[in-house]
Amino acid sequence: NAGVTQTPKFRVLKTGQSMTLLCAQDMNHEYMYWYRQDPGMGLRLIHYSVGEGTTAKGEVPDGYNVSRLKKQNFLLGLESAAPSQTSVYFCASSYWQPRKQETQYFGPGTRLLVL
Amino acid sequence: DAKTTQPPSMDCAEGRAANLPCNHSTISGNEYVYWYRQIHSQGPQYIIHGLKNNETNEMASLIITEDRKSSTLILPHATLRDTAVYYCIVPPPNQGGKLIFGQGTELSVKP
């Protein structure tokens, strides 16, 4: 049982390049989330998904797109990376029931540097 | 959404109890209090949650005041591995599990 895994662990991009971050969970969770964390700050929600084929915007969605084609995977895409997107990205997952939604399991993070 | 206020940092001696306070004076009747922690460079980890009764699990205890305007997370015997940022969160109910992380309290456990 690996829990929540994220790929890659670290990436360097040039401004304007694109990339996709992959999140996978093996707990059969319905809900999945993408957060970003800037230095010295708390986490901020980018996008989330309440089920396969559905996504919704979080607090800071601009510049990102997401897809949830399979229940166990949640992809975060950057179409044209900007230095402001330099951050640590965390994926999380949870069950759908009330109180279980807020009990989230987090991955180890992806460190992204945009030059 | 209930806003939370936490001290930015605290120290605790190894083996002693760590008591981390949180104010949430605008909390509404059906909102729960959740605690997470984040050890350096790792993803956040769920600790405990509660509504109005005191709660205890294998990691910590949560004490919520009778008026529910504040709470305290207690780590009964802090170890060096408990050094982390602790977040007190009051998520809006029925909002798809959205968590709003503030600055948290940076707890340093010292030998």
Side-chain angles (χ1 to χ4, degrees):
Chain A
N1 191 335
V4 179
T5 58
Q6 295 184 230
T7 309
K9 290 184 170 55
F10 178 71
R11 184 76 182 268
V12 179
L13 287 180
K14 294 181 179 178
T15 297
Q17 286 185 319
S18 63
M19 78 163 295
T20 299
L21 284 68
L22 170 64
C23 175
Q25 53 94 5
D26 61 2
M27 295 172 282
N28 203 32
H29 285 164
E30 293 82 12
Y31 286 21
M32 296 187 74
Y33 313 82
W34 275 108
Y35 295 86
R36 63 175 286 175
Q37 184 174 33
D38 299 328
M41 305 285 288
L43 281 72
R44 291 183 294 170
L45 182 64
I46 305 172
H47 286 280
Y48 65 102
S49 168
V50 300
E52 187 177 323
T54 69
T55 63
K57 294 180 180 180
E59 183 185 357
V60 288
D62 294 342
Y64 305 95
N65 56 75
V66 288
S67 64
R68 183 108 180 261
L69 300 180
K70 294 183 179 180
K71 185 177 183 178
Q72 62 268 34
N73 295 337
F74 196 27
L75 304 178
L76 178 71
L78 287 74
E79 291 187 349
S80 180
S84 61
Q85 294 178 304
T86 292
S87 190
V88 181
Y89 292 84
F90 290 102
C91 176
S93 67
S94 72
Y95 291 111
W96 67 269
Q97 295 92 339
R99 255 70 71 210
K100 289 188 182 290
Q101 296 173 14
E102 296 84 357
T103 306
Q104 296 176 13
Y105 294 79
F106 284 80
T110 293
R111 284 149 183 79
L112 176 65
L113 174 62
V114 183
L115 301 175
Chain B
D1 300 351
K3 183 179 174 63
T4 62
T5 304
Q6 300 177 252
S9 63
M10 294 182 64
D11 290 340
C12 177
E14 188 177 20
R16 304 296 295 268
N19 297 285
L20 294 95
C22 179
N23 287 321
H24 33 77
S25 58
T26 60
I27 194 169
S28 62
N30 61 345
E31 290 180 322
Y32 283 67
V33 181
Y34 283 75
W35 284 83
Y36 280 76
R37 74 178 182 184
Q38 186 175 25
I39 296 171
H40 182 63
S41 298
Q42 297 182 19
Q45 177 188 24
Y46 164 80
I47 302 173
I48 198 168
H49 72 275
L51 180 63
K52 56 183 178 180
N53 298 319
N54 298 340
E55 302 287 346
T56 295
N57 63 20
E58 64 278 5
M59 291 183 68
S61 294
L62 175 61
I63 309 297
I64 302 175
T65 58
E66 192 169 344
D67 63 7
R68 303 209 327 117
K69 293 185 177 181
S70 65
S71 60
T72 300
L73 180 74
I74 301 172
L75 308 178
H77 306 287
T79 71
L80 300 179
R81 289 176 296 179
D82 292 321
T83 292
V85 178
Y86 288 77
Y87 295 99
C88 170
I89 302 171
V90 179
N94 303 317
Q95 292 290 316
K98 295 177 189 175
L99 298 178
I100 299 173
F101 288 80
Q103 299 285 337
T105 295
E106 186 168 8
L107 175 69
S108 296
V109 181
K110 300 181 184 300

